[in-house]
């Protein structure tokens, strides 16, 4: 039915023309990677990627998101908190990773 489609990928330049984007919800899709074009969204403060198929994070993408204060990675396929994903995240106050396969 209309409105129930899920994204499994995004075109390479999907967010290139949106440098002032502040909040993005890509939850409940079938993404296996964080879209590289998010690097252009330097004002992004909230990013929701819950309910996808992510198992790793491209630190090059996250490095440019220095204003990020909320990162929601709930319900993905992570087995660990991705090394380096929190570098340069002085504004980050909420990191959600419930429902992953992380062992302490």
């Amino acid at each position: 039915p209309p409105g129930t489609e899920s994204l499994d990928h995004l075109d390479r330049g999907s967010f290139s023309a949106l440098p002032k984007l502040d909040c993005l919800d890509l939850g409940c899709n079938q993404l296996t990677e964080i879209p590289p074009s998010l690097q252009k969204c330097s004002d992004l403060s909230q990013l929701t990627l819950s309910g996808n198929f992510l198992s790793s994070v491209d630190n090059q993408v996250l490095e440019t998101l220095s204003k990020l204060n909320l990162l929601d990675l709930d319900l993905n396929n992570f087995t660990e908190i991705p090394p380096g994903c929190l570098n340069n995240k002085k504004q980050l106050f909420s990191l959600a990773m419930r429902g992953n396969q992380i062992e302490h």
Side-chain angles (χ1 to χ4, degrees):
T4 60
E5 296 84 16
S6 293
L7 299 170
D8 60 3
H9 75 282
L10 291 163
D11 292 333
R12 195 137 187 82
S14 296
F15 301 102
S16 296
L18 301 169
K20 298 294 181 191
L21 187 66
D22 178 63
C23 181
L24 180 62
D25 186 342
L26 291 172
C28 299
N29 283 291
Q30 298 176 9
L31 299 174
T32 57
E33 70 174 358
I34 296 176
S37 61
L38 283 181
Q39 289 179 310
K40 303 291 185 188
C41 301
S42 57
D43 282 348
L44 199 62
S45 66
Q46 297 182 16
L47 178 58
T48 299
L49 292 163
S50 60
N52 280 286
F53 296 103
L54 301 172
S55 58
S56 65
V57 169
D58 183 343
N59 287 334
Q60 272 189 316
V61 174
L62 286 185
E63 274 179 16
T64 60
L65 304 179
S66 61
K67 295 182 180 178
L68 205 59
N69 61 43
L70 181 143
L71 179 57
D72 185 348
L73 298 173
D74 283 345
L75 303 171
N76 277 286
N77 295 325
F78 290 102
T79 56
E80 65 181 357
I81 296 175
C85 83
L86 302 179
N87 292 353
N88 194 30
K89 298 293 167 284
K90 294 179 176 139
Q91 305 290 329
L92 191 69
F93 68 83
S94 179
L95 173 63
M97 295 196 75
R98 290 177 302 224
N100 284 285
Q101 314 300 308
I102 297 173
E103 294 183 19
H104 302 286

